Structure formats: structure tokens, C-alpha cells
Amino acid sequence: MSETDPVKLMKQEVGRAAAAQVKSGSIVGLGTGSTTAYAIQFIGDRIQSGELEDIQGIPTSFQASVLAKKHGIPLTTLDEVSRIDIAIDGADEVDPQKNLIKGGGAAHTREKVVDSLADHFIVVVDSSKLVDRLGSTFALPVEVLPMAIAPVTRALEALGGKVELRMGVKKDGPVITDQGNMVLDVTLEGIDQPAELEKTLNNIPGVLDNGLFIGVADEVLIGEVKDGQATVRTM
């Protein structure tokens, strides 16, 4: 990919805009995904330049942990801190109420824990992720204990979902989450009551969590490419 590729530049600008909101002395939730990776890089750059001090990151995935270490961001855990000041993460869909579907990277369970605890949760996306109704373009990920795959699948089908076990790319077998579980991708005919569906899914025995993030996002930074130029706007 060219260094001047407009989509890459747009993702960089959104990541830069989110990283610019981090203040010295902050506990920062570090999300997962290609756009969030740039935010992690720019936070690291600000630390290395001396612009940011006393930063501690809480990663939401193995990927985020590796990137944070690469860019010099000290890490901590939820056992060691009593707050998260700011979290930065991506999304697969965003509706007009700033509700989200997440989980394309199979990290949504950890992401929901970290993002929900943050005083200020910033979502970084490109305009293709904006939808009028959740479930319009992206299947809903549901993390499931391996021994419960069959009964959970039946329960999801009873709710009207088309269910597929997420399989690995360039590996044989299913995707395994950082918690050692599997992911069922559920296609629904649009999600009219996402808050109710989130609770219903999480009440199915064997489900760890699902990719609906309802009332969690505080701010959405949207990257766009106009006339070959990368721009960022706020929802």
C-alpha cells in the first residue's frame, strides 16, 4: 500500500485526532484494529517526544499489547488501577445514537470491559461504518464457550438469526479468542431493539458476551476522504 494511499492517510488522521485527546497522567484503554493501531502509534510518539508523561495503557487484546510495547507505552491491568480515563477503539458499525457493533477482530468481550469502564470512550471509524440501523452490513459476533457451541447455535437460530462459526484465515479450524473461546457470527434482519437484544443474548447459557455496545460510546471520530484529502469529523 502506497504511503500516499488516501484510505491509509485517513486512518492515520483519525488515529492522530484520538491520540491528541490523551493527557499526561492518564490510564488509557487501548483498542484493537487497524485505525486504533495508528492511535497507539501516535500515543507512543507523544510519549517518546516528552509531550506525554505518566501514561499507562490497558490493552484489549494480544494485538494491542504487542503494539503498545512496540511503541513504548507502559502497560498495566485492571487489578492495578481503579479507573480508566480514556479509551480509544474502533467499530464495525455505528448507528445515529452512537450504538455500535464490534468484534470483527474477535476482541469484543475484553473491549467491552475496558471501553465501558472509561470516563471517555472515543470510537475511531471511517464513514463506511455508519449505518441507519445496526445489523445492516455486519454480522453480530457472539463469544461462546466451546462446549456450548451447539446449544447456543440453536438458541440463536430460534431468535431468527443465521449463525456461522467464525473460521480462521490461513489456519485450519475456528477462530479462538484471547480467552480461549469461539465466535459465532449471527446475521439478523436488522436490529430494531439493540439494548434488549444485548441482554437477551447475554442471558443464553454459554455466551460470554456479544458485539453490541449500547450507550457506551461518548464520541465518534469519523474519517473521510474528499477530493483525495483525508478529513476527520466528530459525531
Side-chain angles (χ1 to χ4, degrees):
M1 185 177 287
S2 168
E3 287 297 321
T4 57
D5 180 89
V7 174
K8 179 178 179 179
L9 291 174
M10 175 267 293
K11 289 186 175 187
Q12 288 176 331
E13 289 308 305
V14 176
R16 192 190 311 274
Q21 296 199 37
V22 177
K23 299 177 181 179
S24 291
S26 294
I27 309 295
V28 186
L30 302 173
T32 304
S34 58
T35 304
T36 313
Y38 286 118
I40 292 173
Q41 175 187 331
F42 291 127
I43 292 169
D45 290 346
R46 293 183 65 200
I47 292 172
Q48 303 311 314
S49 70
E51 184 182 343
L52 278 180
E53 297 179 343
D54 191 25
I55 296 295
Q56 290 181 290
I58 296 183
T60 57
S61 65
F62 182 70
Q63 180 214 30
S65 176
V66 169
L67 283 172
K69 292 173 182 176
K70 175 182 176 182
H71 295 294
I73 302 174
L75 297 180
T76 187
T77 69
L78 293 176
D79 290 334
E80 303 299 325
V81 300
S82 60
R83 73 182 199 282
I84 299 175
D85 298 293
I86 186 171
I88 301 169
D89 212 340
D92 300 298
E93 287 188 346
V94 182
D95 77 7
Q97 289 73 45
K98 295 186 285 194
N99 296 319
L100 319 172
I101 285 182
K102 292 175 49 55
H108 53 282
T109 297
R110 288 193 186 189
E111 289 170 339
K112 191 178 288 189
V113 172
V114 172
D115 298 342
S116 298
L117 288 171
D119 291 339
H120 190 69
F121 171 33
I122 302 174
V123 181
V124 289
V125 293
D126 62 76
S127 57
S128 71
K129 306 298 176 65
L130 304 180
V131 297
D132 292 329
R133 185 171 65 161
L134 294 180
S136 301
T137 63
F138 200 83
L140 176 62
V142 179
E143 182 168 351
V144 182
L145 291 169
M147 56 89 69
I149 285 293
V152 171
T153 296
R154 290 193 292 269
L156 294 172
E157 289 174 341
L159 292 171
K162 178 184 176 183
V163 183
E164 292 187 10
L165 176 64
R166 188 180 300 183
M167 304 303 287
V169 177
K170 296 185 178 180
K171 74 173 281 291
D172 292 329
V175 167
I176 303 299
T177 71
D178 287 354
Q179 290 77 246
N181 300 311
M182 297 180 184
V183 176
L184 293 174
D185 288 316
V186 186
T187 301
L188 297 154
E189 293 297 324
I191 299 172
D192 293 318
Q193 297 179 310
E196 287 76 6
L197 181 61
E198 180 183 26
K199 295 174 184 177
T200 298
L201 295 179
N202 284 350
N203 279 332
I204 298 172
V207 170
L208 270 294
D209 213 328
N210 67 83
L212 287 168
F213 284 53
I214 309 305
V216 180
D218 296 300
E219 181 178 355
V220 181
L221 297 180
I222 304 158
E224 296 174 312
V225 177
K226 295 182 178 179
D227 300 323
Q229 299 295 312
T231 64
V232 179
R233 63 183 175 92
T234 302
M235 177 188 285

